[in-house]
Amino acid sequence: MPVSPSLLLQQDTEAEVAPFFVDLNKLKDDQLQHLRQTGLIGRDDTSVRLLREKHIEYLSQVWRRSLKQAFVSLDSSRPWILYWCLHSCDLLDGMGKIDETERCRMVSTLEHCWSPIAIVHPPVTRDDDLLYFCNAKEDETSELPAGGFGGGPGQIAHAATTYAAVLSLCILSTNLEYPKSARQAKALLTKVRIPLYRWMISMQTESGGYRMHDDGEVDVRASYTILCCAKLLNLATPQLCQDRVAEYIQSCQTWEGGIAGEPNCEAHGGYAFCGVAAMQMMGKLHLLDLPALTGWLVHRQMSYEGGFSGRSNKLVDGCYSFWQGGATAITSALYASEDKAEDPWLEHQTDDSLNFPLLFDAPMLERYILLCAQDIHGGLRDKPSKPRDFYHSCYNLSGLSVAQHCDSGEKVYGDPKQTRLGRTHPCYNIRVERVHAMLQQQW
Amino acid sequence: MSVMSMMIQVDELSEVFSDLTPIPQDDGPEPVCVIQYPTSFRLAYDYMRAIWKANEMSDRALRLTSLCLKLNPANYTVWQFRRRCLRHLGLDKARIQRDLDMTAVLGGSNPKNYQIWFHRRALLECHENLKDDFLATELEYIAHVFQEDSKNHHAWSHRQWFIKTIDDDDVWKNEIEFGTSSCTKQLIEEDPRNNSAWNHRWMVIHRGGKTPLALEVAKSEADFALDTGATPDPYNESPWRYLVGILREQHKRQPNPMLMREYEQKASNLRQVVTNSGQDPDTCAHLTFARIDLLEMIADKDSLGMDLADEHDTIRKKYWMLRVDQLQQKVSNLKA
């Protein structure tokens, strides 16, 4: 019987990754010297380092230079490009290298991605959340301003690009050491807040799922991206979070225990994160089949490579460090033996000790990210045979942050001080202090 | 009408749209994330913006969307506008087929972009008689994509939506049994580690619903998982997870300790297969975890979890220790 193609691919991947798992104590002097030159290990010892400056340099090109022609394939994802690079710099403590002018340009670019529309709103009833429908009338249909952020100027509102834009503006508006851009970012969020709410409500469907855009696909990504924006902007009303919203996500949990994009589809890391984070933000994570979910999540960590794969019998990929690692971190919270906090990552902001174990092997993940995912010229990647890109840089670093900060008492892989990143919130994926600041905002 | 004639060419633009003024993109002053658009890209989209401003939904507008989508197939706004044009011009069977063909060309041999697949779905949703008019061609297209990538997540999702929408007995049956456009048995035999195929099998055998299987069907599926999946390659995770899924579903419907024991025994027997291949069966962590899951359903205390935590599946040590703890609690609660 011929060997399974999947097994062959897995064996190839293990072979590809093996040379990166060098035993640093067994290297010859000239090999060590080479690694020191790249910056992967320090001068004095053999603990592995994060190429901080090189990564920041790579990410900064997005606001310092223009992107080459091939990037036309991301022409409908420009807020994403900004978020991936800005959040990564934030985790690397590199925000100090971005000046006011650059920040104001970022806000302005996002403003030009704002896509306003008029929504025809049916007569308001007593059950509606009147505060947000503001001018909506009781007896008649009214036309109200709504909108969202698109992938670029002139592109219609889209849940994912809205998420990326809102997160970027949250990062900028909470950076008070740069008051001019912080004010501008806050002003933009203030301006769009209510119209955004109206658009988000209009994306909700009968099934409880949300559409990604007008006449667009419905899947679990929309549930997450919309809820995340709503929480950060204090718009998570009962109507936005009604029962059917959670029921839709529940219907996406599969026989494997993981979560799929839509009911009946295959459990997949990206959607698992979206489903888990969305349920957590609604305080309804316990409604999922937890043993099945946990069992599936932990089995996504690859025994040899240490990184995560997206689906059963698929290959390791650095981006799943966050999608799967983050989902596991969130799910781990439900195993706390004492009082379960509504948001344990906000409650334990300054103190690293969470009162529940992180259910995946953090040092093994850190090892994969540091040894296999880093490109020695800056930027991070899926696996060694793949080129670096902004998306993989963001999600490898976000996963590294989760591994470092959500694991109480565990010894970190690599140089603990040198590799330490800012603390990302596993649900929102911006720094916890920024989430805290946003949730304190008066609008 | 050939697919290429549905697309305007770059050098035709200024002539075909001579009555319109192209509108440049407004990024504002000194934007970030600036892309070096090639001239043809810029021109096509400048005219697209002019068409949008004029709110024109015509044949030439449709042909322009084809060009813009060739330049960036992920532009969801252009796709949405394309659908508005199609609806305005009238979506009959012929136009649907032409657009499906165009979409296939734009997508390439292994499309992994949401917009391409959603467009197919949106077109098909407009048509009443999917089974008679589009079943064969659509399944053929999807099977074609599987030849490039048998795990294309979008292709599988599309197939799941399509089959469920048609909801026809013969079609459901064909998805399981050997047929020219069948999926699961053939793909599982070609690659028992194709988890997408296992997922599809689950969906099909349940007819896309959540009702638990009848006991006889469940046993047949459990045997299939063991015989076709686990026996040839016990280290394959997919059939073990499928087996546990099938049995857990039965257990939730009505606890059936005899059934669990029967399959725990069958699982255990496969240890011999591992031994015969020259390996230590304890290293087959998936076999062990399946036994743990089945034994847990009948609250049978075991030491298998600690073995995985300490030796054979150490990357999941914390998880296994949690399981052992929970199981001990469960057992002592029952005894109390």
Side-chain angles (χ1 to χ4, degrees), chain B residues 250-287:
Chain B
Q250 294 301 304
H251 177 75
K252 277 188 179 159
R253 184 169 68 127
Q254 184 173 12
N256 188 338
M258 245 175 59
L259 185 68
M260 300 308 142
R261 284 207 190 281
E262 179 188 342
Y263 281 92
E264 192 275 324
Q265 188 58 53
K266 285 184 178 181
S268 199
N269 292 346
L270 284 187
R271 285 169 59 85
Q272 191 57 48
V273 169
V274 180
T275 308
N276 292 347
S277 74
Q279 298 201 280
D280 173 3
D282 286 342
T283 64
C284 193
H286 297 309
L287 194 164

Side-chain angles (χ1 to χ4, degrees), chain B residues 219 222-227 229-237 239-245 247 258-275 280-298 304:
Chain B
K219 287 172 99 165
D223 289 333
F224 176 83
L226 283 170
D227 299 336
T231 304
D233 180 7
Y235 288 86
N236 176 0
E237 184 179 356
W240 291 114
R241 211 163 268 287
Y242 192 82
L243 172 74
V244 169
L247 295 173
M258 245 175 59
L259 185 68
M260 300 308 142
R261 284 207 190 281
E262 179 188 342
Y263 281 92
E264 192 275 324
Q265 188 58 53
K266 285 184 178 181
S268 199
N269 292 346
L270 284 187
R271 285 169 59 85
Q272 191 57 48
V273 169
V274 180
T275 308
D280 173 3
D282 286 342
T283 64
C284 193
H286 297 309
L287 194 164
T288 311
F289 100 64
R291 291 176 62 204
I292 293 175
D293 280 355
L294 295 175
L295 290 170
E296 181 167 11
M297 284 188 257
I298 45 184
L304 297 172

Side-chain angles (χ1 to χ4, degrees), chain A residues 4 6 66-67 75 78 105 109 151 156 214-215 255 262 266 271 289 298 300-301 311 313 358, chain B residues 27 30 32-34 36-37 76 80 83 114 121 151 191 195-196 199 236-238 252 316 318:
Chain A
S4 143
S6 301
S66 58
L67 300 164
D75 190 41
R78 287 170 62 214
R105 287 168 56 212
T109 303
I156 60 172
D214 177 45
D215 186 25
W255 56 276
E262 301 170 79
E266 189 185 2
Y271 300 114
D289 178 348
V298 300
R300 302 287 59 77
Q301 189 170 22
R311 305 179 252 169
N313 275 321
L358 182 65
Chain B
D27 283 294
E30 305 206 317
V32 297
C33 307
V34 172
Q36 294 163 20
Y37 302 124
Y76 60 91
Q80 189 243 26
R83 286 191 283 279
Y114 287 98
R121 196 188 290 210
K151 299 185 184 183
D191 184 0
N195 195 66
S196 308
N199 179 71
N236 176 0
E237 184 179 356
S238 299
K252 277 188 179 159
R316 278 169 272 283
K318 287 194 220 150

